[in-house]
């Protein structure tokens, strides 16, 4: 670890896929940070330093280290999780590059599941923006599960860059009660000022070794620090030592240090590595582009040594909870000889290979051509059906850009791509067919932005169902809804960018063009007052005719009562066998609506009288009469529109509680109360009409600067305000016309 202070690592051989035959030879790390922080550039620099590419971003056979598809190139940002395996000092490092944009947090959550440690990438050129809200949330999530974390400060080449200020801000804002647990291991060394007054970064000064790694010549050379750097170096070094000792398991170390004893560097490094692996100390390192002509970027060797020496092996991380299919708990460890337990963390489609599953092996060893059991449960609300099937594993490969390089097997702790698992979806468990297992799924964000779609043409309509099924199978953060009330197909997404990418994938991958249409909420109709009406269905056209007359009384009921049908016929004016026919006709008409086509609810319909004919009356005739009677009653009184109301819970930092409550009130919401939701955060509970929160997923992100989250659940239908109801009637009439 800060092993650059004590040894030089060796890069892996180019042109071959890195492999590991033991879990302790694997490190899994995910890069986290807001969009534009420099994560993908850092991945390419690591690949260059390890020898996996021959020049920045290019693999040996000419491809790109980053697998950006056509959609990402058009959007000019990463929208999916990508894996770049590299090798350093005989250790296989699976580098997971997660999107930084909030709409693709599902990809980030998958990366956190697959990784054993997280690198938070933050730009030194922040222009006062501070730490992003999404970064705070992910940091807290990692802290909750004890995931080791480190910080990489990028963009040091910028004239606005400030490493010390950025590191201090990160420690202050995310260090919690112990900001000294987030400290730099190195300080950037600057060269002479250029004509623009900016002094470029030319190296790093190791705080523990007190040696400078100088890159100014194009090669990494160690030398003594310049005299003017020593005071700053000494101050930062003392603080780092105190931070390491505070996290040390050796309780005598602090007493020795305070007593003036010199603590051996090897002891400090060993304690630092253990504290990082435990997730109690979070080192900060710097990264800058390579000097012209140099192969190694500034800080990449130091970062690789931190990963291989300080981050935990898969052996040190617990396997997620596992059960048998009957629900019995099973305890597993990261053992290549144990029962197979692996998980699909990402699913993608390749136009030539077909479906490719990125799999994290937690226990056992996965081999090609063997038959495994695929279990998928607990995602029914996202459009995923429960399934338990046996499937044959196709070829195993290691991804690198758009290329797949074959590998013989994947041991516990490793990541691998599996081809042609036709039934496996993201979140599914792969286990031995003779011992089926199910891993507890990781927490997915709820998609809360509805996007209603229609097929662009008849040809697209024929392919729409299959295309949507494949799209949802790839992305568990998307939910497919076939809304019977509005007769709309709705994709629930995380945000506008997420929706745009989904529709583009439908077009480019599956050849299905769709049009986004206005999303409609499921309104209801009800009677505003009592009414009495007659349904008369009499037709004579030779032979048997149709004869049915029924008199009904309709009265409104409280919200949530549904439809009641009461028989008060006296004297047999409507024969007993036709009374159910009247009820059936009334209920059928209520389902079709009486004004705008929305279902009628919360009424009592009383059948009071009627007439029948001994020959011409029939079941069908009385059904028709019942429907006509309800329509006639509706024409005689006021009909109210009912709108769905949702129970909404909004969780934000305390500073945003006021703006959120004001915004909810502006949406005709009723704020029910607030309650603490963790340190510095508050949960605001409110009832809000669903028609007012169609875009709330987008609006809340803007209002809270990315720090808010919310949930919504249907509560009930309530009367819509008269002015809004009139406007809604006009819109529906225009749409129907």
């Amino acid at each position: 670890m800060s092993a650059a202070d004590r040894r030089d690592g060796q890069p892996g051989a180019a042109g071959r896929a890195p492999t590991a035959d033991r879990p302790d030879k694997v490190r899994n790390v995910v890069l986290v940070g807001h969009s534009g922080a420099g994560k993908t550039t850092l991945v390419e620099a690591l690949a260059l330093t390890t020898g996996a590419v021959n020049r920045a971003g290019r693999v040996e056979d000419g491809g790109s280290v980053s697998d950006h598809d056509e959609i990402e190139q058009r959007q000019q940002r990463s929208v999916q999780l990508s894996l770049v395996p590299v090798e350093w000092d005989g250790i296989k490092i699976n580098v997971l590059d997660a999107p930084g944009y909030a709409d693709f947090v599902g990809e980030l959550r998958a990366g956190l599941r697959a990784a054993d440690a997280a690198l938070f990438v933050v730009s030194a050129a922040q222009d006062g923006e501070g730490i992003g809200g999404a970064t705070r949330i992910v940091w807290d999530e990692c802290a909750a599960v004890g995931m080791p974390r480190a910080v990489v400060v990028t963009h040091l080449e910028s004239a606005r860059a400030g490493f010390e200020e950025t590191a201090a801000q990160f420690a202050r804002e995310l260090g919690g009660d112990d900001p000294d647990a987030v400290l730099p291991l190195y300080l950037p060394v600057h060269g002479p000022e250029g004509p623009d007054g900016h002094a470029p970064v030319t190296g790093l000064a190791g705080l523990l070794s007190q040696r400078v790694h100088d890159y100014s010549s194009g090669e990494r050379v160690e030398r003594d620090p310049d005299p003017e750097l020593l005071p700053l170096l000494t101050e930062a070094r003392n603080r780092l030592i105190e931070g390491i000792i505070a996290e040390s398991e050796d309780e005598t170390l602090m007493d020795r240090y305070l007593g003036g004893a010199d603590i051996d560097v090897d002891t400090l490094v060993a304690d630092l590595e253990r504290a990082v692996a435990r997730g109690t100390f979070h080192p900060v390192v710097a990264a800058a582009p390579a000097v012209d002509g140099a192969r190694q970027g500034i800080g990449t060797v130091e970062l690789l040594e931190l990963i291989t020496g300080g981050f935990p092996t898969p052996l040190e991380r617990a396997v997620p909870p596992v059960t048998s299919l009957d629900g019995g708990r099973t305890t597993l460890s990261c053992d290549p000889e144990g029962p197979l337990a692996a998980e699909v963390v990402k699913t993608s489609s390749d136009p030539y290979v077909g479906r490719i599953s990125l799999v994290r092996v937690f226990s056992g060893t996965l081999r090609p051509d063997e038959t495994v059991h695929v279990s998928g449960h607990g995602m029914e609300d996202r459009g995923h059906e429960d399934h338990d099937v046996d499937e044959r594993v196709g070829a195993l490969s290691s991804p690198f850009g758009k290329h797949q390089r074959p590998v013989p097997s994947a041991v516990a702790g490793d990541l691998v791509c599996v081809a042609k698992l036709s039934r496996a979806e993201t979140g599914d468990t792969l286990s031995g067919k003779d011992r089926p297992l199910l891993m507890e799924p990781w927490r997915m964000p709820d998609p809360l932005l509805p996007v209603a779609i229609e097929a662009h043409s008849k040809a697209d309509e024929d392919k729409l169902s299959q295309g949507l099924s494949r799209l949802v199978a790839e992305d568990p953060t998307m939910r497919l809804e076939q809304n019977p009330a509005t007769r709309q197909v709705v994709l629930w997404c995380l945000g506008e960018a997420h929706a745009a990418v989904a529709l583009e994938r439908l077009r480019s991958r599956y050849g299905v063009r769709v049009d986004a249409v206005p999303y409609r909420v499921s309104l209801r109709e009800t009677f505003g007052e009592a009414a009495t009406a007659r349904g008369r269905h009499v037709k004579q056209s030779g032979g048997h005719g149709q004869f049915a007359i029924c008199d009904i009384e309709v009265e409104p009921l409280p919200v949530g009562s549904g439809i009641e049908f009461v028989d008060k016929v006296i004297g047999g004016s409507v024969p007993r066998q036709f009374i159910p026919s009247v009820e059936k006709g009334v209920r059928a008409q209520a389902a079709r609506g009486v004004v705008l086509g929305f279902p009628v609810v919360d009424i009592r319909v009383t059948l009071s009288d009627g007439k029948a004919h001994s020959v011409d009356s029939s079941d069908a005739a009385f059904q028709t009469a019942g429907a006509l009677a309800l329509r006639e009653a509706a024409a005689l009184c006021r009909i109210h529109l009912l709108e769905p109301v949702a129970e909404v819970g909004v969780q934000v930092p305390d500073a945003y509680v006021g703006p959120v409550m004001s915004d909810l009130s502006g949406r005709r919401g009723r704020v029910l109360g607030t309650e603490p939701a963790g340190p510095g955060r508050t949960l605001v509970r409110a009832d809000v009409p669903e028609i007012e929160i169609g875009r709330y997923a987008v609006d809340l992100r803007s209002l809270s600067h990315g720090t808010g989250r919310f949930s919504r659940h249907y509560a009930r239908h309530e009367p819509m305000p008269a002015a809004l109801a009139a406007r809604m009637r006009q819109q529906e009439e225009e749409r129907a016309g």
Side-chain angles (χ1 to χ4, degrees):
M1 137 51 297
S2 108
D5 279 349
R6 52 180 187 166
R7 67 180 186 271
D8 283 334
Q10 297 299 316
R16 65 171 177 80
T19 58
D21 57 1
R22 308 196 313 262
D24 63 332
K25 293 294 185 181
V26 177
R27 302 293 185 276
N28 298 309
V29 56
V30 60
L31 270 58
V32 178
H34 62 78
S35 185
K39 298 185 298 298
T40 300
T41 301
L42 179 61
V43 172
E44 293 174 347
L46 293 174
L48 182 65
T49 298
T50 58
V53 296
N54 52 17
R55 61 188 187 278
R58 309 302 296 177
V59 297
E60 291 295 334
D61 56 4
S64 170
V65 67
S66 299
D67 181 13
H68 296 306
D69 61 16
E70 178 187 349
I71 298 172
E72 289 181 301
Q73 293 168 8
R74 200 157 39 243
Q75 297 243 344
Q76 296 186 327
R77 61 183 168 212
S78 297
V79 301
Q80 60 184 349
L81 181 71
S82 62
L83 169 64
V84 179
V86 298
E87 187 175 338
W88 188 258
D89 264 353
I91 303 293
K92 179 186 179 184
I93 306 173
N94 289 314
V95 182
L96 292 151
D97 183 7
Y101 196 64
D103 276 19
F104 307 103
V105 67
E107 300 281 326
L108 170 58
R109 295 272 176 83
L112 292 171
R113 176 67 160 215
D116 300 309
L119 276 175
F120 281 75
V121 182
V122 58
S123 172
Q126 300 179 76
D127 287 335
E129 293 179 3
I131 307 302
T135 302
R136 298 170 187 267
I137 291 172
V138 178
W139 181 274
D140 291 341
E141 288 181 3
C142 292
V145 298
M147 175 174 279
R149 286 148 284 155
V151 182
V152 183
V153 180
T154 59
H155 295 160
L156 295 179
E157 70 280 7
S158 170
R160 306 184 306 276
F163 173 81
E164 291 83 358
E165 295 85 346
T166 302
Q169 183 184 32
F170 209 99
R172 186 170 57 252
E173 296 188 19
L174 298 182
D177 297 332
D178 188 9
D180 284 342
V182 185
L183 292 172
L185 300 184
Y186 306 89
L187 295 181
V189 176
H190 297 270
E193 289 187 0
D196 59 354
H198 174 59
V201 175
T202 58
L204 298 174
L207 297 183
L208 295 182
S209 65
Q210 300 184 86
R211 299 281 290 170
V212 171
H213 307 147
D214 193 337
Y215 292 82
S216 59
S217 65
E219 299 290 336
R220 181 172 176 271
V221 178
E222 284 199 17
R223 63 173 176 82
D224 290 329
D226 297 329
E228 61 270 20
L229 184 62
L230 285 176
L232 183 62
L233 198 64
T234 300
E235 180 183 354
R237 185 177 192 269
N238 290 340
R239 189 178 178 194
L240 174 61
I241 291 175
E242 291 173 6
I244 294 172
I245 291 174
E247 301 297 334
S248 174
E249 295 176 334
D250 184 352
E251 297 180 357
T252 68
L253 207 56
M254 181 63 77
D255 293 336
R256 289 160 52 197
Y257 175 74
L258 294 176
D262 287 332
I263 308 300
D264 181 73
V265 170
D266 286 341
T267 300
L268 292 171
V269 168
D271 275 345
L272 175 57
E273 290 178 346
R274 285 191 287 268
V276 171
R278 288 197 310 271
T280 59
F281 187 86
H282 317 293
V284 182
V285 296
V291 178
D292 290 343
R295 184 177 183 88
Q296 297 173 341
I298 296 174
T300 53
V301 170
E302 291 79 0
L303 181 55
L304 287 164
E305 298 296 356
L306 168 63
I307 293 171
T308 56
F311 280 173
T313 73
L315 294 168
E316 299 171 74
R317 301 288 296 166
V319 174
V322 179
T323 63
S324 58
L325 297 189
D326 61 6
R329 283 284 180 181
T330 299
T331 302
L332 297 179
S333 61
C334 183
D335 180 5
E337 302 300 323
L340 177 64
E343 189 170 39
V344 179
V345 295
K346 175 181 169 59
T347 308
S348 60
S349 295
D350 185 279
Y352 304 104
V353 181
R355 181 176 289 188
I356 298 177
S357 304
L358 177 60
V359 173
R360 163 73 191 256
V361 184
F362 286 98
S363 173
T365 300
L366 186 64
R367 297 179 176 85
D369 300 321
E370 69 176 340
T371 300
V372 300
H373 186 80
V374 179
S375 296
H377 297 270
M379 298 287 287
E380 301 89 343
D381 61 330
R382 304 292 172 90
H384 297 250
E385 294 182 359
D386 282 3
H387 50 273
D388 284 287
V389 295
D390 289 342
E391 268 202 274
R392 180 175 169 274
V393 173
L396 302 185
S397 59
S398 177
F400 204 76
K402 296 185 181 299
H403 303 269
Q404 296 288 338
R405 298 178 290 188
V407 295
S409 62
V411 299
D414 205 355
L415 286 160
V416 70
C417 285
V418 183
K420 299 180 179 178
L421 283 176
S422 60
R423 292 297 306 277
E425 301 175 351
T426 301
D428 283 0
T429 303
L430 308 183
S431 56
K433 64 177 183 178
D434 55 343
R435 187 179 178 184
L437 299 172
L438 183 64
M439 304 194 81
E440 183 178 291
W442 66 89
R443 188 168 65 88
M444 295 286 186
D446 289 326
L448 296 172
L449 179 70
V451 180
I453 58 174
E454 292 178 352
H456 184 73
S457 67
K458 179 64 170 67
D460 296 309
E461 188 173 348
D462 294 338
K463 299 181 290 185
L464 181 60
S465 178
Q466 183 180 11
L468 288 173
S469 296
R470 295 171 68 181
L471 185 70
V472 173
E474 291 184 11
D475 188 352
T477 63
M478 190 176 297
R479 178 163 58 88
L480 176 62
E481 178 189 9
Q482 305 270 358
N483 192 317
T486 62
R487 295 181 289 280
Q488 284 189 317
V489 177
V490 182
L491 275 178
W492 289 84
C493 304
L494 295 175
E496 291 177 312
H498 189 210
V501 167
L503 300 189
E504 179 60 22
R505 282 179 177 162
L506 267 179
R507 184 196 65 80
S508 60
R509 290 186 182 179
Y510 308 123
V512 182
R513 292 185 303 165
V514 297
D515 299 318
V517 297
Y519 170 71
R520 302 171 63 203
V521 300
S522 55
L523 302 178
R524 300 283 186 267
E525 298 173 353
T526 195
F527 280 60
E529 56 192 339
T532 300
R534 165 170 288 190
R536 186 175 186 274
H537 181 61
V538 178
K539 286 188 177 181
Q540 293 294 137
S541 57
H544 284 298
Q546 298 181 50
F547 188 96
I549 297 175
C550 60
D551 296 330
I552 65 169
E553 299 171 3
V554 183
E555 54 188 312
L557 293 177
V559 172
S561 299
I563 296 178
E564 292 183 13
F565 184 84
V566 179
D567 170 23
K568 286 191 176 180
V569 174
I570 300 174
S573 58
V574 177
R576 304 307 301 170
Q577 69 267 28
F578 294 135
I579 290 176
S581 303
V582 175
E583 179 178 2
K584 189 174 181 180
V586 166
R587 291 187 180 276
Q589 185 62 55
R592 293 191 296 267
V594 291
V595 176
L596 297 179
F598 299 115
V600 177
V601 296
D602 303 333
I603 58 172
R604 177 184 292 122
V605 178
T606 302
L607 177 61
S608 58
D609 201 357
K611 292 181 181 180
H613 189 278
S614 59
V615 176
D616 293 340
S617 292
S618 65
D619 170 65
F622 272 99
Q623 285 191 46
T624 302
L628 287 171
L630 189 64
R631 291 209 302 267
E632 289 293 331
L636 298 174
C637 68
R638 290 177 291 109
I639 300 298
H640 291 167
L641 279 183
L642 303 179
E643 61 179 340
V645 174
E647 295 179 356
V648 174
V650 186
Q651 189 184 122
V652 289
D654 295 342
Y656 295 107
V657 170
V660 164
M661 293 175 67
S662 176
D663 179 72
L664 290 173
S665 297
R667 297 171 186 269
R668 299 189 289 124
R670 295 189 297 274
V671 176
L672 304 178
T674 62
E675 57 189 67
R681 295 183 70 86
T682 297
L683 176 66
V684 180
R685 293 181 296 102
D687 284 350
V688 189
E690 288 190 4
I691 201 169
E692 302 286 351
I693 55 174
R695 286 180 45 84
Y696 195 60
V698 177
D699 298 337
L700 177 62
R701 185 179 301 161
S702 174
L703 180 65
S704 66
H705 295 83
T707 61
R709 64 184 74 171
F710 83 105
S711 62
R712 55 182 284 179
H713 303 284
Y714 169 77
R716 61 194 169 276
H717 274 73
E718 290 184 353
M720 181 180 285
L724 183 58
R727 189 161 65 247
M728 187 65 65
R729 286 192 180 94
Q730 182 179 357
Q731 292 174 357
E732 289 296 324
E733 289 168 357
E734 291 174 354
R735 189 181 67 85

